[in-house]
Amino acid sequence: MNTELEPPRVPPLSAAERSRMRNQLMERTRPATRRPARHWVAPMVGVGAVAAVVAGTLVVTQNSPDEPGAAGTSALASPEAKVGVDLGAVPQGDVAKIVADCQFPDEAGPAQLIWSRHVRGITKDSTALVALALNTKGAAAPPTGTPRGRKPGTGGAPSTAKLGYRFCLTRTPPSGKLGAVGSVARVEDRAWRTQPTAQRGLVTLGTTDGDFTNDLTTLQAWRLYRAHPDVAKVEARYVLGGKAGPWTSGVVDGGFAYIEVQANGKFTVGQRLKTEVRAFDAQGRPVPVG
C-alpha cells in the first residue's frame, strides 16, 4: 500500500475569501472583550494615589518649621479626616471683640484685622475666634524707668517684632472651665516676611502646644500659618504616649491656615502636646510643609 499520498489540490481563494479569513483570525487573537480592560484604569490610578500619599506625606513635630529636624515622613495612610475645626467666618457681632482682643494694653487705637476665622472650642459647648491683626496706630511711649522684665506689650514691641503684626485667640462664651479665655502674641518680623514655597508650603506665624481646661482634662495645641497657594487642605493629629489621635481637618483660607488638636485625659500643668501636620493640594496630592 502506498502511504505517500499527495494532498488534494485546493483551488485558489478569492480576494473576498482571503479578507474574510484574515478578519476571523484577527478576531480570534484579540481578548474576548476590550471594554472590561478600561474598568481597571481607575483602580490602578487610585492605588497609585494612595501609594503617593503614603510615601510622600510630610509631617511636622512640635518644633517650629524654622527649627532643624522639624519635618519627617509619615508611615501611615491618609484616610479622610473625620474631625474638623472650621466653623466658617467670624460672626459679624463678634468682629469688634476679636479686634479688641488683638490689642495690647498700651496701644493707642484698634488693630487692623488682617484675617480671622471661627473655629471649634476647647470644650464641646464653646467655640473660639482666631485672628491676625496689625497695629497701625503705634504704641505709647514706654514709661520712665520701665523694668527690663516688663509684661508683654508694656513699653512697645521688642526689636524683633517692630512691624506690628500679632495673632490672637479668644474663647466664647467666656467661662471659668475654659481655662485661659484668650491670648495675644506678636508675630516675629522674620516670620511675617518669610514666604512659603512649593517645598515649604506652611510658614508658622503663631503657635501654642499647651492650652488646658481648668480641670486639666483637655490639652489643646493650635497653630496659625501663612500658606502657599498650592495648599488647599491641612490636617493635624496629636501624638501622646506613643499613640496618635485622629487626623483633624484644619482651615485654609485667604493665604493662611489654622490647625488645632486636643486630647482628653488627666494632664499636668506645663505638659505639651506633640503635633503632626500634613497638607494637600486641590487634587489631594501631598504638599511639603517644611
Side-chain angles (χ1 to χ4, degrees):
M1 177 181 296
N2 183 8
T3 59
E4 296 181 1
L5 301 177
E6 291 189 8
R9 296 175 61 89
V10 178
L13 299 175
S14 66
E17 289 175 325
R18 285 198 299 270
S19 177
R20 178 176 57 80
M21 291 182 68
R22 183 167 54 251
N23 290 339
Q24 288 178 345
L25 179 62
M26 292 297 292
E27 285 295 327
R28 290 176 182 175
T29 59
R30 292 173 181 159
T33 62
R34 294 184 61 86
R35 289 185 180 178
R38 295 182 181 177
H39 295 314
W40 288 102
V41 173
M44 290 301 290
V45 171
V47 170
V50 171
V53 170
V54 173
T57 297
L58 297 178
V59 300
V60 174
T61 67
Q62 62 185 353
N63 295 327
S64 165
D66 295 323
E67 297 171 357
T73 302
S74 172
L76 300 178
S78 177
E80 185 73 16
K82 293 182 171 57
V83 182
V85 306
D86 189 18
L87 299 179
V90 171
Q92 193 61 37
D94 288 328
V95 170
K97 175 175 178 56
I98 192 64
V99 168
D101 287 347
C102 279
Q103 270 186 258
F104 287 102
D106 62 334
E107 291 177 344
Q112 175 188 338
L113 198 60
I114 303 297
W115 180 89
S116 63
R117 203 70 179 177
H118 189 202
V119 295
R120 76 169 178 176
I122 198 170
T123 61
K124 292 182 179 179
D125 57 352
S126 70
T127 62
L129 310 174
V130 61
L132 281 164
L134 170 65
N135 173 33
T136 59
K137 302 289 185 178
T144 304
T146 300
R148 284 192 172 188
R150 68 180 189 273
K151 295 181 180 180
T154 303
S159 60
T160 57
K162 287 295 187 182
L163 292 177
Y165 291 96
R166 70 281 316 274
F167 64 91
C168 49
L169 181 140
T170 185
R171 305 187 189 281
T172 58
S175 168
K177 67 181 180 181
L178 297 182
V181 295
S183 60
V184 56
R186 304 184 193 279
V187 177
E188 293 288 308
D189 294 345
R190 183 186 68 166
W192 184 261
R193 291 188 176 111
T194 301
Q195 296 297 316
T197 66
Q199 291 73 40
R200 183 187 182 185
L202 300 174
V203 173
T204 302
L205 298 176
T207 179
T208 180
D209 296 320
D211 282 359
F212 292 90
T213 51
N214 273 348
D215 59 7
L216 300 180
T217 59
T218 301
L219 176 58
Q220 183 190 60
W222 56 269
R223 281 204 187 114
L224 189 58
Y225 300 98
R226 190 192 295 277
H228 188 269
D230 287 349
V231 176
K233 181 179 181 180
V234 290
E235 295 178 352
R237 67 178 182 181
Y238 67 82
V239 179
L240 189 65
K243 296 182 179 180
W247 284 109
T248 303
S249 294
V251 180
V252 179
D253 174 66
F256 299 97
Y258 170 85
I259 62 95
E260 182 265 338
V261 294
Q262 51 187 254
N264 298 311
K266 191 62 178 177
F267 303 102
T268 57
V269 174
Q271 193 167 350
R272 300 290 173 179
L273 201 57
K274 179 181 178 181
T275 306
E276 295 180 341
V277 180
R278 63 189 184 186
F280 303 91
D281 66 13
Q283 287 71 47
R285 296 172 299 202
V287 177
V289 297

